[in-house]
């Protein structure tokens, strides 16, 4: 089977910015150094916002571009839209590019909404007849019909981004570039945006979506690219890209320790460690077909304390999956030390996550300690990253994705009716 044609091909792309001005202007830089008490900028004081970036986007593919602030995401989109020229490398786009890099991008503030729709169409190389054919659809999607004859400088940021997205998404560009706008506006408009991006993919067009909201990336992207310090750190399935970014963001994997006096706590009780275990070994990657254990260690500093531990789990997109605690209403009947004053010392609470329960993909574990009565001691978010991997125990002949954040093994029985 032949692969679909590339809508975008990027080869060795690099972008360098000079920090502090033009090094050729020695007088200016020396004067600035005297005034600020600093030193003249040397020729080596350059920032490479992009370094040797290479990838392809196939026709009909939606790629989520993920990374920390300063990773190079917005710079890459500005290069691809020819707002700025690359320092090294090259790229090829098969067709027109529609972009929405920030609120109001491409709009003339003195022109009305109607005039800006036609202006954007002209920028994309579309004639008036082609824009007119999509005009009503654009206006209905944006929901700005009462303000069509109003200059866009009087639009709110929400109105501007709705119109901007509607124009970019409806004017038949073969590649759509979207930077942090799918999380702007109310929930209904965000849902419409996600559905529109999915429709673009079904039409054979492509999109690159930048967002810090992992739920948005997971909802729209068929593939994820993680940028780190200007380079491509990961390129692959969306769930694994989200996991890679989350792990880098938190700096932890299958365990976390607080050995010193700065451990979370209230002076009476301190959190010491959290570990993820499978088959008795610490691991950030678990087989979903076998049980795993979250182990929480804490220390009481005086006799008579009776704290209890709890945890909650989010998937890679930040969606809550479950919460549990070694407390009344959860597991008091199975935890012999619940509500029991005990001598000072270290204690370990273990919670078993059964096999054949989680779906495949990334998750994050958060933990808390409380005194009886739910008086908080410590609460630590995203202390462990884990990746639940399908070893094949439930797949049989099915190789596709399973829906949902959990995938328990449920009993099915088929029998004659009547």
């Amino acid at each position: 089977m032949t692969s679909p044609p590339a809508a975008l091909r990027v080869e060795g792309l690099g972008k360098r910015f000079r920090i502090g001005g033009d090094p050729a202007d020695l007088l200016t830089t020396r004067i600035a150094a005297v005034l600020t008490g600093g030193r003249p900028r040397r020729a080596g004081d350059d920032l490479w916002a992009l370094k040797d970036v290479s990838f392809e986007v196939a026709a009909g593919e939606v790629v989520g571009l993920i990374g920390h602030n300063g990773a190079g995401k917005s710079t890459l989109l500005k290069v691809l839209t020819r707002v700025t020229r690359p320092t090294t490398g090259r790229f090829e786009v098969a067709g027109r590019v529609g972009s929405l890099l920030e609120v109001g991008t491409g709009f003339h503030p003195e022109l009305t909404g109607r005039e800006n729709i036609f202006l954007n169409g002209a920028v994309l190389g579309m004639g008036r007849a082609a824009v007119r054919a999509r005009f009503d659809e654009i206006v209905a999607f944006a929901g700005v019909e009462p303000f069509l004859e109003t200059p866009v400088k009087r639009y709110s940021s929400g109105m501007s981004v709705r119109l901007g997205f509607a124009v970019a998404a409806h004017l038949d560009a073969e590649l759509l570039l979207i930077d942090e706008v799918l999380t702007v506006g109310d929930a209904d408009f965000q849902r419409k945006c996600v559905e529109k991006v999915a429709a673009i993919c079904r039409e054979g067009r492509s999109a690159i979506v930048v967002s810090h909201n992992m739920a948005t990336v997971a909802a729209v992207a068929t593939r994820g690219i993680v940028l780190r310090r200007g380079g491509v750190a990961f390129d692959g399935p969306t769930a694994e890209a989200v996991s890679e970014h989350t792990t880098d963001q938190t700096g932890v994997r299958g365990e976390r320790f607080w050995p010193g006096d700065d451990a979370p706590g209230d002076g009476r009780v301190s959190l010491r460690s959290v570990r993820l275990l499978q088959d008795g070994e610490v691991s950030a990657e678990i087989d979903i077909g076998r049980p795993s254990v979250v182990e929480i260690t804490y220390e009481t500093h005086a006799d008579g304390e009776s704290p209890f531990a709890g945890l909650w789990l989010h998937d890679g997109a930040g969606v809550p999956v479950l919460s549990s605690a070694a407390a009344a209403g959860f597991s008091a009947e199975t935890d012999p030390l619940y509500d029991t004053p005990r001598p000072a010392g270290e204690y370990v609470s273990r919670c078993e996550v059964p096999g054949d329960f989680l779906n495949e993909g990334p998750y994050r574990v958060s933990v808390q300690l409380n005194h009886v009565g739910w008086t908080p001691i410590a609460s630590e978010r995203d202390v462990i990253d884990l990746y639940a991997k399908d070893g094949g125990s439930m797949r049989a002949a099915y190789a596709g994705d399973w829906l949902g954040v959990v995938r328990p093994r449920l009993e099915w029985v088929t029998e004659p009716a009547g």
Side-chain angles (χ1 to χ4, degrees):
M1 178 181 296
T2 60
S3 58
L8 170 68
R9 182 176 291 109
V10 177
E11 299 177 355
L13 212 61
K15 179 61 182 179
R16 179 183 61 200
F17 291 101
R18 291 177 173 176
I19 303 174
D22 188 345
D25 191 352
L26 298 179
L27 178 60
T28 301
T29 55
R30 290 182 182 277
I31 292 175
V34 171
L35 293 177
T36 61
R39 62 173 176 80
R41 195 188 69 79
R42 296 194 298 263
D45 293 339
D46 293 325
L47 170 67
W48 283 90
L50 298 173
K51 295 182 294 184
D52 196 26
V53 173
S54 299
F55 63 92
E56 290 188 5
V57 178
E61 189 174 32
V62 178
V63 174
L65 196 59
I66 307 170
H68 302 298
N69 290 329
K73 306 183 300 297
S74 295
T75 300
L76 176 58
L77 295 195
K78 288 176 181 177
V79 170
L80 297 180
T81 52
R82 296 181 172 86
V83 172
T84 184
R85 299 179 65 178
T87 306
T88 61
R90 60 192 295 269
F91 66 94
E92 297 177 357
V93 180
R96 290 184 292 257
V97 176
S99 64
L100 189 56
L101 305 189
E102 59 185 37
V103 175
T105 296
F107 287 164
H108 191 296
E110 300 296 336
L111 298 182
T112 66
R114 179 187 300 276
E115 292 165 339
N116 271 290
I117 292 175
F118 282 94
L119 174 63
N120 274 257
V123 170
L124 286 176
M126 300 181 66
R128 291 180 61 85
V131 177
R132 192 177 292 111
R134 309 300 296 273
F135 185 85
D136 291 343
E137 190 177 353
I138 292 170
V139 173
F141 189 96
V144 296
E145 185 173 5
F147 310 100
L148 273 179
E149 311 308 329
T150 302
V152 297
K153 68 180 181 182
R154 297 197 178 100
Y155 283 19
S156 68
S157 59
M159 291 167 60
S160 295
V161 79
R162 290 203 306 273
L163 183 60
F165 180 86
V167 171
H170 287 82
L171 289 185
D172 294 333
E174 282 73 23
L175 177 65
L176 184 61
L177 307 178
I178 307 170
D179 189 0
E180 288 291 3
V181 298
L182 293 186
T183 55
V184 178
D186 56 28
D188 183 60
F189 182 72
Q190 292 178 25
R191 176 187 56 78
K192 288 171 61 177
C193 289
V194 170
E195 292 173 352
K196 185 60 182 177
V197 171
I200 288 172
C201 181
R202 290 194 298 270
E203 294 167 2
R205 296 190 285 156
S206 308
I208 296 179
V209 177
V210 171
S211 180
H212 287 285
N213 187 320
M214 294 301 101
T216 298
V217 173
V220 303
T222 55
R223 175 174 142 223
I225 294 177
V226 180
L227 289 185
R228 187 175 300 146
R229 293 183 291 277
V232 176
F234 180 87
D235 184 350
T238 306
E240 294 181 31
V242 170
S243 178
E244 174 72 21
H245 172 65
T246 303
T247 298
D248 179 59
Q249 193 173 37
T250 58
V252 295
R253 289 189 180 272
E255 59 186 350
R256 177 80 177 270
F257 295 94
W258 295 271
D261 294 336
D262 293 332
D266 64 354
R268 296 158 56 189
V269 181
S270 298
L271 178 64
R272 288 303 179 196
S273 69
V274 182
R275 304 197 302 165
L276 176 68
L277 305 171
Q278 189 164 68
D279 300 329
E281 299 292 332
V282 175
S283 177
E285 184 175 279
I286 62 171
D287 184 336
I288 63 174
R290 307 201 309 274
S292 55
V293 174
V294 177
E295 180 184 273
I296 303 171
T297 302
Y298 57 89
E299 180 181 2
T300 61
H301 301 291
D303 294 341
E305 299 291 347
S306 53
F308 66 90
L311 64 84
W312 65 101
L313 192 68
H314 291 79
D315 69 6
V319 176
V321 177
L322 61 84
S323 61
S324 186
F330 283 86
S331 59
E333 64 277 4
T334 62
D335 189 340
L337 288 185
Y338 174 70
D339 199 15
T340 302
R342 61 203 78 153
E346 281 199 353
Y347 295 87
V348 179
S349 291
R350 297 181 179 89
C351 177
E352 180 175 297
V353 180
D356 296 330
F357 174 70
L358 294 177
N359 201 352
E360 189 171 26
Y363 295 86
R364 289 173 288 168
V365 179
S366 303
V367 299
Q368 60 181 209
L369 292 174
N370 294 282
H371 294 290
V372 173
W374 294 91
T375 303
I377 298 171
S379 180
E380 293 296 309
R381 183 72 183 262
D382 301 336
V383 294
I384 287 180
D385 298 302
L386 70 92
Y387 190 85
K389 187 174 182 178
D390 189 344
S393 61
M394 290 180 66
R395 283 193 175 275
Y398 177 67
D401 294 331
W402 293 79
L403 295 176
V405 293
V406 294
R407 194 178 79 189
R409 184 185 291 275
L410 304 178
E411 294 298 326
W412 284 77
V413 176
T414 302
E415 59 187 9

